Coordinates of all heavy atoms in Angstrom, one line a residue:
M324 N -107.4 79.3 -64.4 CA -108.1 79.8 -63.2 C -107.3 80.7 -62.4 O -106.1 80.5 -62.2 CB -108.4 78.5 -62.4 CG -109.8 78.3 -62.0 SD -109.9 76.7 -61.1 CE -111.4 77.2 -60.3
A325 N -107.9 81.8 -61.9 CA -107.2 82.7 -61.1 C -106.9 82.2 -59.7 O -107.8 81.5 -59.1 CB -108.0 84.0 -61.0
S326 N -105.8 82.4 -59.2 CA -105.5 82.0 -57.8 C -106.0 83.0 -56.8 O -106.1 84.2 -57.1 CB -104.0 81.8 -57.6 OG -103.3 83.0 -57.7
I327 N -106.4 82.5 -55.6 CA -106.9 83.4 -54.6 C -105.7 83.8 -53.7 O -105.0 83.0 -53.2 CB -107.9 82.6 -53.8 CG1 -109.1 82.2 -54.6 CG2 -108.4 83.5 -52.6 CD1 -110.1 81.3 -53.9
M328 N -105.6 85.1 -53.6 CA -104.5 85.7 -52.8 C -105.0 85.9 -51.4 O -106.1 86.5 -51.2 CB -104.1 87.0 -53.4 CG -102.9 87.6 -52.7 SD -102.4 89.1 -53.5 CE -101.6 89.9 -52.3
R329 N -104.4 85.3 -50.5 CA -104.7 85.4 -49.1 C -103.8 86.5 -48.4 O -102.6 86.5 -48.7 CB -104.7 84.1 -48.4 CG -105.6 83.1 -49.0 CD -105.6 81.8 -48.2 NE -106.5 80.8 -48.8 CZ -107.7 80.5 -48.4 NH1 -108.2 81.1 -47.3 NH2 -108.4 79.6 -49.0
T330 N -104.4 87.2 -47.5 CA -103.6 88.2 -46.8 C -103.3 87.6 -45.4 O -104.1 86.9 -44.8 CB -104.3 89.5 -46.7 OG1 -105.5 89.3 -46.0 CG2 -104.5 90.2 -48.0
S331 N -102.1 88.0 -45.0 CA -101.7 87.5 -43.7 C -102.5 88.3 -42.6 O -103.1 89.3 -42.8 CB -100.2 87.8 -43.4 OG -100.0 89.2 -43.3
E332 N -102.5 87.7 -41.4 CA -103.2 88.3 -40.3 C -102.6 89.7 -40.0 O -103.3 90.6 -39.7 CB -103.1 87.5 -39.0 CG -104.0 86.2 -39.1 CD -104.0 85.5 -37.8 OE1 -103.9 86.1 -36.7 OE2 -104.2 84.3 -37.8
E333 N -101.3 89.8 -40.2 CA -100.6 91.1 -40.0 C -101.2 92.1 -41.0 O -101.5 93.3 -40.7 CB -99.1 91.0 -40.2 CG -98.3 92.2 -39.9 CD -96.8 92.0 -40.0 OE1 -96.3 91.3 -39.2 OE2 -96.3 92.5 -41.0
D334 N -101.3 91.7 -42.3 CA -101.9 92.6 -43.3 C -103.3 93.0 -43.0 O -103.7 94.1 -43.2 CB -101.7 92.0 -44.7 CG -100.3 91.9 -45.3 OD1 -99.5 92.7 -44.7 OD2 -100.1 91.2 -46.2
Q335 N -104.1 92.0 -42.6 CA -105.5 92.2 -42.3 C -105.6 93.3 -41.2 O -106.4 94.2 -41.2 CB -106.2 90.9 -41.9 CG -106.4 90.0 -43.1 CD -106.9 88.6 -42.6 OE1 -107.6 88.5 -41.5 NE2 -106.8 87.6 -43.4
Q336 N -104.7 93.1 -40.2 CA -104.7 94.1 -39.1 C -104.4 95.5 -39.6 O -105.0 96.5 -39.2 CB -103.8 93.6 -37.9 CG -103.9 94.5 -36.7 CD -105.2 94.5 -36.1 OE1 -105.9 93.5 -36.0 NE2 -105.6 95.6 -35.5
A337 N -103.4 95.6 -40.4 CA -103.0 96.9 -41.0 C -104.1 97.5 -41.8 O -104.4 98.7 -41.7 CB -101.8 96.7 -41.9
I338 N -104.9 96.7 -42.5 CA -106.0 97.2 -43.3 C -107.1 97.7 -42.3 O -107.7 98.8 -42.6 CB -106.5 96.1 -44.2 CG1 -105.5 95.9 -45.4 CG2 -107.9 96.5 -44.8 CD1 -105.8 94.6 -46.1
L339 N -107.4 96.9 -41.3 CA -108.4 97.4 -40.3 C -108.0 98.6 -39.6 O -108.8 99.6 -39.4 CB -108.7 96.2 -39.3 CG -109.4 95.0 -39.9 CD1 -109.4 93.9 -38.8 CD2 -110.8 95.3 -40.3
E340 N -106.8 98.8 -39.3 CA -106.3 100.0 -38.6 C -106.3 101.2 -39.5 O -106.7 102.3 -39.1 CB -104.8 99.8 -38.1 CG -104.7 98.8 -36.9 CD -103.3 98.5 -36.5 OE1 -102.4 99.2 -37.0 OE2 -103.2 97.6 -35.6
A341 N -106.0 101.0 -40.8 CA -106.1 102.1 -41.8 C -107.5 102.5 -42.0 O -107.8 103.7 -42.1 CB -105.5 101.6 -43.1
A342 N -108.4 101.6 -42.0 CA -109.9 101.9 -42.2 C -110.4 102.7 -40.9 O -111.1 103.7 -41.1 CB -110.7 100.6 -42.4
E343 N -110.0 102.2 -39.8 CA -110.4 102.9 -38.5 C -109.8 104.3 -38.5 O -110.5 105.3 -38.1 CB -109.9 102.1 -37.3 CG -110.4 102.7 -36.0 CD -109.9 101.8 -34.8 OE1 -109.8 100.6 -35.0 OE2 -109.7 102.4 -33.7
Y344 N -108.6 104.5 -39.0 CA -108.0 105.8 -39.0 C -108.7 106.7 -40.1 O -109.0 107.9 -39.8 CB -106.5 105.7 -39.4 CG -105.8 107.0 -39.6 CD1 -105.4 107.8 -38.5 CD2 -105.6 107.5 -40.9 CE1 -104.7 109.0 -38.7 CE2 -105.0 108.7 -41.1 CZ -104.5 109.5 -40.0 OH -103.9 110.7 -40.2
A345 N -109.0 106.1 -41.2 CA -109.6 106.9 -42.3 C -111.0 107.3 -42.2 O -111.5 108.3 -42.7 CB -109.4 106.2 -43.6
L346 N -111.8 106.5 -41.4 CA -113.2 106.6 -41.3 C -113.6 108.1 -40.9 O -114.4 108.7 -41.6 CB -113.8 105.6 -40.4 CG -115.3 105.7 -40.2 CD1 -116.1 105.4 -41.6 CD2 -115.8 104.7 -39.2
P347 N -113.1 108.5 -39.8 CA -113.6 109.9 -39.4 C -113.1 111.0 -40.3 O -113.8 112.0 -40.5 CB -112.9 110.1 -38.0 CG -111.9 109.1 -37.9 CD -112.2 108.0 -38.8
I348 N -112.0 110.8 -41.0 CA -111.5 111.7 -42.0 C -112.4 111.8 -43.2 O -112.8 112.8 -43.7 CB -110.1 111.4 -42.4 CG1 -109.1 111.5 -41.2 CG2 -109.6 112.3 -43.6 CD1 -107.7 111.0 -41.5
Q349 N -112.9 110.6 -43.6 CA -113.8 110.5 -44.8 C -115.1 111.1 -44.4 O -115.7 111.8 -45.2 CB -113.9 109.0 -45.2 CG -114.8 108.8 -46.4 CD -116.3 108.7 -46.0 OE1 -116.7 108.2 -45.0 NE2 -117.1 109.3 -46.9
R350 N -115.6 110.8 -43.2 CA -116.9 111.3 -42.8 C -116.9 112.9 -42.7 O -117.8 113.5 -43.2 CB -117.3 110.8 -41.5 CG -117.8 109.4 -41.6 CD -118.6 108.9 -40.4 NE -119.2 107.6 -40.6 CZ -119.3 106.7 -39.7 NH1 -119.1 107.0 -38.5 NH2 -119.8 105.5 -40.0
Q351 N -115.8 113.4 -42.2 CA -115.7 114.9 -42.1 C -115.6 115.5 -43.5 O -116.2 116.5 -43.8 CB -114.5 115.3 -41.3 CG -114.4 116.8 -41.1 CD -115.6 117.3 -40.3 OE1 -115.9 116.8 -39.2 NE2 -116.3 118.3 -40.9
A352 N -114.9 114.9 -44.4 CA -114.7 115.4 -45.8 C -116.1 115.3 -46.5 O -116.5 116.3 -47.2 CB -113.7 114.5 -46.6
S353 N -116.9 114.3 -46.2 CA -118.2 114.2 -46.9 C -119.1 115.3 -46.3 O -119.9 116.0 -47.1 CB -118.8 112.8 -46.6 OG -118.2 111.8 -47.2
Q354 N -119.0 115.6 -45.0 CA -119.9 116.6 -44.4 C -119.5 118.0 -44.9 O -120.3 118.8 -45.2 CB -119.8 116.5 -42.9 CG -120.5 115.3 -42.3 CD -120.2 115.2 -40.8 OE1 -119.4 115.9 -40.2 NE2 -120.9 114.2 -40.2
D355 N -118.2 118.2 -45.0 CA -117.7 119.5 -45.6 C -118.1 119.7 -47.0 O -118.6 120.8 -47.4 CB -116.1 119.5 -45.5 CG -115.6 119.6 -44.1 OD1 -116.4 119.8 -43.1 OD2 -114.4 119.4 -43.9
Q356 N -118.0 118.6 -47.8 CA -118.4 118.7 -49.2 C -120.0 119.0 -49.3 O -120.4 119.8 -50.1 CB -118.1 117.4 -49.9 CG -118.4 117.5 -51.4 CD -118.0 116.2 -52.1 OE1 -118.1 115.1 -51.6 NE2 -117.6 116.4 -53.4
E357 N -120.7 118.3 -48.5 CA -122.2 118.5 -48.5 C -122.5 120.0 -48.1 O -123.4 120.6 -48.8 CB -122.9 117.6 -47.5 CG -124.4 117.8 -47.4 CD -125.1 116.9 -46.4 OE1 -124.4 116.0 -45.8 OE2 -126.3 117.1 -46.2
A358 N -121.9 120.5 -47.1 CA -122.1 121.9 -46.7 C -121.7 122.8 -47.8 O -122.5 123.8 -48.1 CB -121.4 122.2 -45.4
E359 N -120.6 122.6 -48.5 CA -120.2 123.4 -49.5 C -121.2 123.4 -50.7 O -121.5 124.5 -51.3 CB -118.8 122.9 -50.0 CG -118.2 123.8 -51.1 CD -116.8 123.2 -51.5 OE1 -116.0 122.8 -50.7 OE2 -116.5 123.3 -52.7
M360 N -121.6 122.3 -51.0 CA -122.6 122.1 -52.2 C -123.9 122.8 -51.8 O -124.5 123.4 -52.7 CB -122.8 120.7 -52.5 CG -121.6 120.0 -53.1 SD -121.1 120.7 -54.7 CE -119.6 121.5 -54.3
K361 N -124.4 122.6 -50.6 CA -125.6 123.3 -50.2 C -125.5 124.8 -50.3 O -126.4 125.5 -50.8 CB -126.0 122.9 -48.7 CG -126.6 121.5 -48.6 CD -126.9 121.3 -47.1 CE -127.6 119.9 -46.9 NZ -127.9 119.7 -45.5
K362 N -124.4 125.3 -49.8 CA -124.1 126.7 -49.8 C -124.2 127.2 -51.3 O -124.8 128.2 -51.6 CB -122.8 127.1 -49.2 CG -122.5 128.6 -49.2 CD -121.1 128.8 -48.5 CE -120.8 130.3 -48.7 NZ -119.4 130.6 -48.2
K363 N -123.5 126.5 -52.2 CA -123.4 126.9 -53.6 C -124.8 126.9 -54.2 O -125.2 127.8 -55.0 CB -122.5 126.0 -54.3 CG -122.3 126.3 -55.8 CD -121.2 125.5 -56.4 CE -121.1 125.9 -57.9 NZ -120.0 125.2 -58.6
L364 N -125.6 125.8 -53.9 CA -126.9 125.7 -54.5 C -127.8 126.8 -54.0 O -128.6 127.4 -54.8 CB -127.5 124.4 -54.2 CG -126.9 123.2 -54.9 CD1 -127.3 121.9 -54.4 CD2 -127.2 123.3 -56.4
V365 N -127.7 127.2 -52.7 CA -128.5 128.3 -52.2 C -128.1 129.6 -52.8 O -128.9 130.5 -53.2 CB -128.3 128.4 -50.6 CG1 -128.9 129.7 -50.1 CG2 -129.0 127.2 -50.0
E366 N -126.8 129.8 -53.0 CA -126.3 131.0 -53.7 C -126.8 131.1 -55.2 O -127.0 132.2 -55.7 CB -124.8 131.0 -53.7 CG -124.2 131.3 -52.4 CD -122.7 131.2 -52.3 OE1 -122.1 130.7 -53.3 OE2 -122.1 131.5 -51.3
E367 N -127.1 129.9 -55.8 CA -127.6 129.9 -57.1 C -129.1 130.0 -57.2 O -129.7 130.0 -58.2 CB -127.2 128.6 -57.8 CG -125.7 128.4 -58.0 CD -125.2 129.4 -59.1 OE1 -125.9 129.7 -60.1 OE2 -124.0 129.9 -58.9
G368 N -129.8 130.1 -56.0 CA -131.2 130.3 -55.9 C -132.0 129.2 -55.5 O -133.3 129.3 -55.4
M369 N -131.5 128.1 -55.1 CA -132.3 127.0 -54.6 C -132.8 127.3 -53.2 O -132.1 127.8 -52.4 CB -131.4 125.7 -54.6 CG -132.2 124.5 -54.2 SD -131.1 123.0 -54.0 CE -130.6 123.2 -52.3
E370 N -134.0 126.9 -53.0 CA -134.5 127.0 -51.6 C -134.2 125.7 -50.9 O -134.6 124.6 -51.3 CB -136.1 127.2 -51.7 CG -136.7 127.4 -50.3 CD -138.2 127.5 -50.3 OE1 -138.7 128.1 -51.4 OE2 -138.8 127.2 -49.3
L371 N -133.5 125.8 -49.8 CA -133.1 124.6 -49.0 C -134.1 124.4 -47.9 O -134.4 125.4 -47.1 CB -131.7 124.8 -48.5 CG -131.1 123.7 -47.7 CD1 -131.0 122.5 -48.5 CD2 -129.8 124.2 -47.1
T372 N -134.6 123.2 -47.7 CA -135.4 122.9 -46.6 C -134.8 121.7 -45.9 O -134.2 120.9 -46.5 CB -136.9 122.6 -47.0 OG1 -136.8 121.4 -47.9 CG2 -137.5 123.7 -47.7
E373 N -134.9 121.7 -44.6 CA -134.4 120.5 -43.8 C -135.6 119.8 -43.2 O -136.5 120.5 -42.6 CB -133.5 121.0 -42.7 CG -132.2 121.7 -43.3 CD -131.2 120.7 -43.8 OE1 -131.3 119.5 -43.5 OE2 -130.3 121.2 -44.6
P374 N -135.7 118.5 -43.2 CA -136.8 117.9 -42.6 C -136.8 117.9 -41.1 O -135.7 117.9 -40.5 CB -136.7 116.4 -43.1 CG -135.3 116.3 -43.4 CD -134.8 117.6 -43.8
D375 N -137.9 117.9 -40.4 CA -138.0 117.7 -39.0 C -137.9 116.2 -38.7 O -138.8 115.4 -39.1 CB -139.3 118.3 -38.5 CG -139.5 118.1 -37.0 OD1 -138.6 117.6 -36.3 OD2 -140.6 118.4 -36.5
L376 N -136.9 115.7 -38.2 CA -136.6 114.3 -38.0 C -137.4 113.7 -36.8 O -137.5 112.5 -36.7 CB -135.1 114.0 -37.9 CG -134.3 114.4 -39.2 CD1 -132.8 114.1 -38.9 CD2 -134.8 113.6 -40.4
E377 N -137.8 114.6 -35.9 CA -138.4 114.0 -34.7 C -139.7 113.1 -35.0 O -139.8 112.1 -34.3 CB -138.9 115.1 -33.7 CG -139.1 114.7 -32.4 CD -138.0 113.9 -31.7 OE1 -136.8 114.2 -31.9 OE2 -138.4 112.9 -31.0
P378 N -140.6 113.5 -35.9 CA -141.7 112.5 -36.2 C -141.2 111.2 -36.7 O -141.8 110.1 -36.4 CB -142.5 113.3 -37.2 CG -142.1 114.7 -37.1 CD -140.7 114.7 -36.6
F379 N -140.1 111.2 -37.4 CA -139.6 109.9 -37.9 C -139.0 109.1 -36.8 O -139.2 107.9 -36.7 CB -138.5 110.2 -39.0 CG -139.0 110.8 -40.2 CD1 -139.0 112.1 -40.5 CD2 -139.6 110.0 -41.2 CE1 -139.4 112.7 -41.6 CE2 -140.1 110.6 -42.4 CZ -140.1 111.9 -42.6
R380 N -138.3 109.8 -35.9 CA -137.7 109.1 -34.7 C -138.8 108.4 -33.9 O -138.7 107.3 -33.4 CB -136.9 110.1 -33.9 CG -135.6 110.5 -34.6 CD -134.8 111.4 -33.7 NE -133.6 111.8 -34.3 CZ -133.3 113.0 -34.7 NH1 -134.1 114.0 -34.4 NH2 -132.2 113.3 -35.3
K381 N -139.9 109.2 -33.7 CA -141.0 108.6 -32.9 C -141.7 107.4 -33.6 O -142.1 106.5 -33.0 CB -142.1 109.7 -32.6 CG -141.6 110.7 -31.6 CD -142.7 111.8 -31.3 CE -142.1 112.8 -30.3 NZ -143.1 113.9 -30.1
A382 N -141.8 107.5 -34.9 CA -142.4 106.5 -35.7 C -141.7 105.2 -35.7 O -142.3 104.1 -35.7 CB -142.7 106.9 -37.2
V383 N -140.3 105.2 -35.6 CA -139.6 104.0 -35.6 C -139.3 103.4 -34.2 O -138.7 102.4 -34.0 CB -138.2 104.2 -36.3 CG1 -138.4 104.5 -37.8 CG2 -137.3 105.2 -35.7
E384 N -139.7 104.1 -33.2 CA -139.5 103.6 -31.8 C -140.0 102.2 -31.6 O -139.4 101.4 -31.0 CB -140.1 104.6 -30.8 CG -139.7 104.4 -29.4 CD -138.2 104.6 -29.2 OE1 -137.6 105.6 -29.8 OE2 -137.6 103.8 -28.4
P385 N -141.2 101.9 -32.1 CA -141.7 100.5 -31.9 C -140.8 99.4 -32.6 O -140.6 98.3 -32.1 CB -143.1 100.4 -32.6 CG -143.5 101.9 -32.6 CD -142.3 102.7 -32.7
V386 N -140.1 99.8 -33.6 CA -139.2 98.9 -34.3 C -138.0 98.7 -33.4 O -137.5 97.5 -33.3 CB -138.7 99.5 -35.7 CG1 -137.7 98.6 -36.3 CG2 -139.9 99.8 -36.6
Y387 N -137.5 99.7 -32.8 CA -136.4 99.6 -31.8 C -136.8 98.6 -30.7 O -136.0 97.7 -30.3 CB -135.9 100.9 -31.2 CG -135.3 101.9 -32.2 CD1 -135.6 103.3 -32.1 CD2 -134.5 101.5 -33.2 CE1 -135.1 104.2 -33.0 CE2 -133.9 102.5 -34.1 CZ -134.2 103.7 -34.0 OH -133.6 104.6 -34.8
E388 N -137.9 98.9 -30.1 CA -138.4 98.1 -29.0 C -138.6 96.6 -29.5 O -138.2 95.7 -28.7 CB -139.7 98.6 -28.5 CG -139.6 99.9 -27.8 CD -140.9 100.6 -27.4 OE1 -142.0 99.9 -27.5 OE2 -140.9 101.8 -27.1
K389 N -139.0 96.4 -30.7 CA -139.2 95.0 -31.1 C -137.9 94.3 -31.3 O -137.7 93.1 -31.0 CB -140.0 95.0 -32.5 CG -140.1 93.7 -33.1 CD -140.9 93.7 -34.4 CE -140.9 92.3 -35.1 NZ -141.5 92.3 -36.4
W390 N -136.9 95.0 -31.9 CA -135.6 94.3 -32.3 C -134.6 94.4 -31.2 O -133.6 93.6 -31.3 CB -135.1 94.9 -33.6 CG -135.9 94.4 -34.7 CD1 -137.0 95.0 -35.3 CD2 -135.7 93.1 -35.3 NE1 -137.4 94.2 -36.3 CE2 -136.7 93.0 -36.4 CE3 -134.9 92.1 -35.1 CZ2 -136.8 91.9 -37.2 CZ3 -135.0 91.0 -36.0 CH2 -135.9 90.9 -37.0
A391 N -134.7 95.2 -30.2 CA -133.7 95.3 -29.1 C -133.3 94.0 -28.5 O -132.2 93.6 -28.4 CB -134.1 96.3 -28.1
P392 N -134.4 93.1 -28.2 CA -134.0 91.8 -27.6 C -133.3 90.9 -28.5 O -132.4 90.1 -28.1 CB -135.3 91.2 -27.2 CG -136.3 92.4 -27.1 CD -135.8 93.4 -28.1
E393 N -133.5 91.1 -29.8 CA -132.9 90.2 -30.8 C -131.4 90.7 -31.1 O -130.5 89.9 -31.3 CB -133.7 90.3 -32.1 CG -133.3 89.4 -33.2 CD -133.6 87.9 -33.0 OE1 -134.6 87.6 -32.3 OE2 -132.9 87.1 -33.6
I394 N -131.2 92.0 -31.3 CA -129.9 92.5 -31.8 C -129.1 93.2 -30.7 O -127.9 93.5 -30.9 CB -130.1 93.5 -33.0 CG1 -130.8 94.7 -32.6 CG2 -130.7 92.8 -34.1 CD1 -130.9 95.8 -33.7
G395 N -129.8 93.4 -29.5 CA -129.0 94.0 -28.4 C -129.3 95.5 -28.3 O -129.3 96.2 -29.3
Q396 N -129.5 96.0 -27.1 CA -129.8 97.4 -26.8 C -128.6 98.2 -27.2 O -128.8 99.4 -27.6 CB -130.1 97.6 -25.3 CG -130.6 99.0 -25.0 CD -131.9 99.3 -25.8 OE1 -132.9 98.5 -25.8 NE2 -132.0 100.5 -26.3
E397 N -127.4 97.7 -27.1 CA -126.2 98.5 -27.4 C -126.2 98.9 -28.9 O -126.0 100.1 -29.2 CB -124.9 97.7 -27.2 CG -123.7 98.5 -27.4 CD -122.4 97.7 -27.1 OE1 -122.5 96.7 -26.4 OE2 -121.4 98.1 -27.7
L398 N -126.6 98.0 -29.8 CA -126.7 98.3 -31.2 C -127.8 99.3 -31.5 O -127.7 100.3 -32.2 CB -126.8 97.1 -32.0 CG -126.9 97.3 -33.6 CD1 -125.7 98.0 -34.1 CD2 -127.1 96.0 -34.3
V399 N -128.9 99.1 -30.8 CA -130.1 100.0 -31.0 C -129.7 101.4 -30.5 O -129.9 102.4 -31.2 CB -131.3 99.5 -30.2 CG1 -132.4 100.6 -30.1 CG2 -131.8 98.2 -30.8
D400 N -129.0 101.5 -29.4 CA -128.5 102.8 -28.9 C -127.5 103.5 -29.9 O -127.6 104.7 -30.1 CB -127.9 102.7 -27.5 CG -128.9 102.4 -26.5 OD1 -130.1 102.5 -26.7 OD2 -128.4 101.9 -25.4
K401 N -126.7 102.7 -30.5 CA -125.8 103.3 -31.5 C -126.5 103.8 -32.7 O -126.2 104.9 -33.2 CB -124.7 102.2 -32.0 CG -123.6 101.9 -31.0 CD -122.7 100.9 -31.6 CE -121.6 100.6 -30.7 NZ -120.6 99.6 -31.3
V402 N -127.5 103.1 -33.1 CA -128.3 103.6 -34.3 C -129.0 104.9 -33.9 O -129.0 105.9 -34.6 CB -129.3 102.5 -34.8 CG1 -130.3 103.1 -35.8 CG2 -128.5 101.3 -35.4
K403 N -129.7 104.8 -32.7 CA -130.4 106.0 -32.3 C -129.6 107.2 -32.1 O -130.0 108.4 -32.3 CB -131.2 105.7 -31.0 CG -132.3 104.7 -31.2 CD -132.9 104.2 -29.9 CE -133.8 105.2 -29.2 NZ -134.5 104.7 -28.1
N404 N -128.4 107.0 -31.7 CA -127.5 108.2 -31.4 C -126.5 108.5 -32.5 O -125.6 109.4 -32.3 CB -126.7 107.9 -30.1 CG -127.6 107.8 -28.9 OD1 -128.5 108.5 -28.8 ND2 -127.4 106.7 -28.1
F405 N -126.7 107.9 -33.7 CA -125.8 108.2 -34.8 C -125.9 109.6 -35.2 O -127.1 110.1 -35.4 CB -126.1 107.3 -36.0 CG -125.2 107.5 -37.2 CD1 -123.9 107.0 -37.2 CD2 -125.7 108.1 -38.3 CE1 -123.1 107.2 -38.3 CE2 -124.9 108.3 -39.4 CZ -123.6 107.8 -39.4
Q406 N -124.8 110.3 -35.4 CA -124.9 111.7 -35.8 C -124.6 111.8 -37.4 O -123.6 111.3 -37.8 CB -123.8 112.5 -35.1 CG -124.0 112.6 -33.6 CD -125.2 113.3 -33.2 OE1 -125.5 114.4 -33.7 NE2 -126.0 112.7 -32.3
Y407 N -125.5 112.4 -38.0 CA -125.4 112.5 -39.5 C -124.4 113.6 -40.0 O -124.2 114.5 -39.4 CB -126.8 112.8 -40.1 CG -127.8 111.8 -39.7 CD1 -128.6 112.0 -38.6 CD2 -127.9 110.6 -40.4 CE1 -129.6 111.0 -38.2 CE2 -128.9 109.6 -40.1 CZ -129.7 109.9 -39.0 OH -130.5 108.9 -38.6

């Protein structure tokens, strides 16, 4: 049977800090890669279209209203204001 390795609270804190540090770097790298790939595909002749997100935002508003009391307005606001 394999033994379960437990990490110390200090190690757990280091992992959480590393993740917090790396998250914005990873997100920026993903955005940069997406932009680069879109540019390359357009140069190769692909027609790029971007959806109008406003109708989707309006359509989910009742969901936000329904769940805000359950999950908290703060979380709803974070979701609504998330930048892609």
Side-chain angles (χ1 to χ4, degrees):
M324 236 177 152
S326 65
I327 297 175
M328 184 175 157
R329 297 184 186 257
T330 57
S331 69
E332 287 186 32
E333 183 178 292
D334 287 345
Q335 290 175 20
Q336 186 61 37
I338 291 166
L339 290 172
E340 288 174 10
E343 187 176 326
Y344 174 81
L346 180 64
I348 296 168
Q349 181 276 326
R350 284 198 176 147
Q351 186 62 54
S353 292
Q354 290 172 352
D355 292 347
Q356 184 179 31
E357 179 183 352
E359 183 181 322
M360 292 296 107
K361 283 180 178 179
K362 181 180 175 189
K363 183 175 182 176
L364 289 168
V365 168
E366 288 172 354
E367 294 290 325
M369 182 184 87
E370 182 182 334
L371 179 66
T372 60
E373 298 285 344
D375 177 7
L376 297 178
E377 195 55 38
F379 295 97
R380 289 184 181 113
K381 286 181 182 178
V383 298
E384 195 62 40
V386 176
Y387 294 141
E388 291 173 13
K389 176 183 176 183
W390 284 97
E393 183 80 21
I394 64 173
Q396 189 63 44
E397 183 179 341
L398 181 57
V399 169
D400 291 342
K401 283 182 180 182
V402 170
K403 288 171 79 171
N404 296 315
F405 181 76
Q406 297 297 313
Y407 302 95

